[in-house]
Amino acid sequence: MATSLFPLSLFLLFLPIQTTLSSSTDAFVFGGCTQQKYSPDSPYESNLNSLLTSLVNSATYSSYNNFTIMGSSPQDVVYGLYQCRGDLSMPDCATCVARAVTQTGSLCPTACGGAVQLQGCFVKYDNATFLGVEDKNVVMKKCGPSVEYEKESEIVGRRDAMMAGLMAGGGLFRVGGSGEVQGLAQCVGDLSLGECQDCLSTAIQRLKSECGAGAYGDMYLGKCYARFSSSSSGDNNHYYPKSHNDKSSNDGEKTFAIIIGLLAAIALLIIFLAFLRKVVDRNGKLLNLFYFS
């Protein structure tokens, strides 16, 4: 009999997140397994291995994918997906998914369903279908200590402004910032944009109400998450890519684009002058032949 992965049959493990930003994509956030087990060397185990291989291979060229491996009987069918953080390169995505798959094997041996969330990616599989199903159950919540009293109104105001920007943004992956407060939000790729908006609305509202004036906060629901952190929190466990609205980022991108444009123009000018010189030399030779023939 199939069992759902979240929330009742899931044993969550909360381990310390690594503090080095260089390994932020591999840092463990949470993981869990279903209580239902499969027999070693069974058709289900073979199908699960095929699924996990497909997840790892797919992550080399896509930041999200899901698979269904059919079996000779309904109880042998396995469903699975992975989701990489929206700013990861394909090599980093593939590395993260491979690491998450390895951790599910260590965490959930012989379990029919398992899930692992790393800082950079999420992997989940089960023998009960969950693909395309919205899930707003809280899987993991973490709130930082309250900010200093004299900065509370400023930090909370900036946090709320940043989160309003995340809600207004489109897409499944969103990054925002307001002053020293940065944040990001993401939905799993099997949700529609409307379902994503609904899921993130719940995550953000719970984050605001349950983390209060915390210096940082994480709210992971079954199919989406929202996170924020202030630079004064002293917390090294939170990584946020630059917001597209960040002025310094935009200025840097504009400068880079101008430099590339100038280099391209110079290259075209050099090519044109070389071509013009050949034409002039050829015409000069033709004129010499004409006058001295």
Side-chain angles (χ1 to χ4, degrees):
M1 179 179 175
T3 56
S4 60
L5 184 60
F6 297 115
L8 296 179
S9 60
L10 182 65
F11 298 102
L12 289 178
L13 299 181
F14 299 101
L15 301 180
I17 295 176
Q18 299 173 30
T19 57
T20 54
L21 291 182
S22 61
S23 60
S24 63
T25 58
D26 295 336
F28 184 89
V29 179
F30 66 80
C33 323
T34 58
Q35 294 178 335
Q36 186 181 6
K37 305 290 185 179
Y38 62 81
S39 301
D41 301 320
S42 65
Y44 188 83
E45 181 180 38
S46 177
N47 288 345
L48 177 58
N49 289 336
S50 296
L51 173 84
L52 297 178
T53 299
S54 297
L55 297 182
V56 173
N57 290 340
S58 178
T60 61
Y61 60 84
S62 178
S63 61
Y64 162 79
N65 212 341
N66 69 76
F67 295 89
T68 300
I69 306 298
M70 304 302 294
S72 56
S73 61
Q75 61 265 31
D76 294 330
V77 180
V78 57
Y79 309 87
L81 60 75
Y82 70 89
Q83 173 74 70
C84 286
R85 200 173 65 207
D87 64 314
L88 291 194
S89 65
M90 286 299 95
D92 288 341
C93 177
T95 299
C96 187
V97 171
R99 183 68 58 86
V101 165
T102 299
Q103 293 201 21
T104 61
S106 302
L107 183 65
C108 305
T110 71
C112 289
V116 165
Q117 174 77 61
L118 303 184
Q119 288 279 17
C121 63
F122 174 64
V123 166
K124 180 179 178 179
Y125 61 88
D126 201 355
N127 61 342
T129 182
F130 57 90
L131 302 176
V133 179
E134 189 176 0
D135 182 357
K136 296 188 290 184
N137 290 303
V138 177
V139 180
M140 195 276 282
K141 177 189 74 173
K142 183 179 180 182
C143 300
S146 296
V147 297
E148 299 176 4
Y149 179 77
E150 57 271 18
K151 297 191 67 176
E152 180 176 332
S153 60
E154 176 190 353
I155 295 297
V156 170
R158 291 189 178 278
R159 182 205 66 188
D160 290 349
M162 179 275 297
M163 290 186 175
L166 292 182
M167 281 301 300
L172 301 179
F173 177 71
R174 309 174 188 187
V175 179
S178 178
E180 63 177 288
V181 179
Q182 302 294 315
L184 64 83
Q186 186 168 22
C187 296
V188 178
D190 62 334
L191 296 187
S192 67
L193 290 179
E195 291 170 334
C196 177
Q197 192 74 5
D198 182 51
C199 189
L200 289 181
S201 177
T202 300
I204 287 174
Q205 289 303 319
R206 296 197 66 151
L207 196 56
K208 291 166 62 175
S209 63
E210 297 180 29
C211 286
Y216 61 84
D218 303 335
M219 185 65 65
Y220 285 86
L221 307 186
K223 284 291 181 75
C224 71
Y225 67 84
R227 312 179 66 195
F228 77 91
S229 181
S230 62
S231 58
S232 62
S233 67
D235 177 67
N236 295 321
N237 297 333
H238 287 72
Y239 163 77
Y240 301 106
K242 291 280 188 182
S243 168
H244 295 303
N245 297 322
D246 186 81
K247 185 178 184 300
S248 62
S249 177
N250 284 343
D251 289 344
E253 292 172 1
K254 290 178 181 178
T255 302
F256 180 76
I258 291 172
I259 293 173
I260 293 298
L262 289 174
L263 291 175
I266 293 172
L268 289 173
L269 181 61
I270 292 173
I271 293 172
F272 175 76
L273 291 176
F275 172 78
L276 189 62
R277 181 177 178 180
K278 288 182 179 180
V279 171
V280 170
D281 290 343
R282 184 174 60 189
N283 289 341
K285 291 178 181 179
L286 290 174
L287 287 174
N288 288 335
L289 289 173
F290 177 79
Y291 283 119
F292 294 99
S293 60

